[in-house]
Each structure stands twice: as C-alpha cells, then as structure tokens.
Amino acid sequence: LGETEVSTIKAFGPYAIERKIAATEMGVVYLAKKDGVSFMLKTLRREAARDMRAVNRFLTQNRLVATVAHEGLPKNIDAGEIDGTSYVAYEHIDAQPLAVRFARTGPSHINELRPILRAMLEPLAALHKAQLSHGDLKMDHALVLRGADAASVKVVLIDFGGDRLRPRLTPTSGSYGLLACYGS
C-alpha cells in the first residue's frame, strides 16, 4: 500500500477512500469518510516507514497531539497501522495552506500578517503547554480559514511529527540516520 496508492471507494480499515488529495515524498493524502464524517487520511510511503522506531515515535506524537484540545488543532486525530500501512487521520478542514495563499497573493504587509501569526502561535502555545512540539512546522502545514467575522483569521496546524521520519545528518558520526527530536 505504501508503494501503490489506495484506490478510491476502497475501504482502508474504518475509512472509505473517496479521492486522492495530494502526494508527497512522505505519503499520500486522501479524502475519506468514517461514520458519515469526512476525514483527511495520510498514509505513509514505505520509504518513510522503514525505521519502525521512528514510525512509532511519529504515531505516538500524533496520538499525544490528539489529547490537546484547541481550535487551532485538528479534531478527532487517529493514528495507527492498518494492514502494514501507517496512517494519520483527522476531520477534514476546508481551508487553504498558508503556502498556497502566499503564492496567490504575494508578499503581505506586517499588519496583514499579525492575525495569521497570532493564530499560528496560539495552537503552538497549547502544544508547548502540554510539553509537545509540532515537529514539522512550515507554511504547507498551516491551514488558513476565515474567522467568525470578516476581519478575523483562523489557523489550524496539521501534520505533526514529520521530523521523526526524516533522515538527518548526525553530528557525531557524520553518517545519515534518524534523529528523534524531543521537547518544545
């Protein structure tokens, strides 16, 4: 399953795959349904899941994030393994990644950025209060939604713990390996 993509309208455990959303070097993201609710379902590719200790740290990170309640974090995070494929799922968020927004609009004035930055810092503060880190914060992992009124912005952070899966240069040996990141 990690090498080949899941076909649409196929059951993946309790999830019914509806369509493919995106593919990255780490995994494939699908829109899926579970009990009538839409979910984003990310399956890890085999290349990203070679080190089972790293995969377990990644899944544990997502399970821990699921225990933190904040409007800037996804709802109903589920992380595990089905038929040898590791996955993370959360309720679908109809929003645009910050990277896409900036690609469309170009540079912004600091006054326009303040509400977005504040909306990003609030869920990060909630994670840090729970002694967790995001582990892979970038503009693609910050989804921007309109707030309750036209002037407000809401940001939901996604894709936690990706740093646990990436090969990194270890400072002592100079060889490649997987390096776990801990702390805030």
Side-chain angles (χ1 to χ4, degrees), residues 2-156:
E3 293 293 316
T4 58
E5 297 173 5
V6 179
S7 63
T8 56
I9 315 301
K10 180 180 179 189
F12 179 74
Y15 300 95
I17 305 294
E18 293 189 342
R19 66 183 165 95
K20 177 180 158 185
I21 301 289
T24 66
E25 66 183 39
M26 302 297 280
V28 181
V29 182
Y30 301 96
L31 179 64
K33 288 242 181 187
K34 177 182 170 188
D35 300 327
V37 178
S38 292
F39 279 79
M40 299 300 291
L41 173 70
K42 181 176 188 173
T43 59
L44 293 182
R45 294 187 186 276
R46 281 195 186 112
E47 301 87 40
R50 288 184 188 204
D51 182 343
M52 285 312 298
R53 287 177 37 192
V55 170
N56 287 333
R57 287 190 302 268
F58 169 77
L59 295 175
T60 299
Q61 170 75 5
N62 280 277
R63 289 180 190 124
L64 290 170
V65 169
T67 66
V68 180
H70 190 277
E71 67 176 12
L73 299 173
K75 294 180 180 154
N76 296 320
I77 296 174
D78 178 22
E81 185 180 311
I82 296 175
D83 297 329
T85 300
S86 299
Y87 73 93
V88 174
Y90 52 86
E91 278 190 31
H92 179 259
I93 302 162
D94 189 18
Q96 179 182 65
L98 189 56
V100 171
R101 179 180 174 157
F102 283 151
R104 188 186 78 241
T105 63
S108 298
H109 189 274
I110 187 66
N111 291 336
E112 294 174 27
L113 294 176
R114 275 192 186 111
I116 294 171
L117 293 172
R118 181 164 308 197
M120 288 176 70
L121 291 173
E122 290 171 356
L124 285 174
L127 288 174
H128 290 188
K129 185 176 180 182
Q131 298 182 355
L132 298 171
S133 66
H134 184 284
D136 197 15
L137 188 60
K138 55 187 176 182
M139 291 195 311
D140 286 326
H141 297 165
L143 302 179
V144 181
L145 303 94
R146 284 278 165 221
D149 57 63
S152 67
V153 172
K154 180 180 172 187
V155 174
V156 177

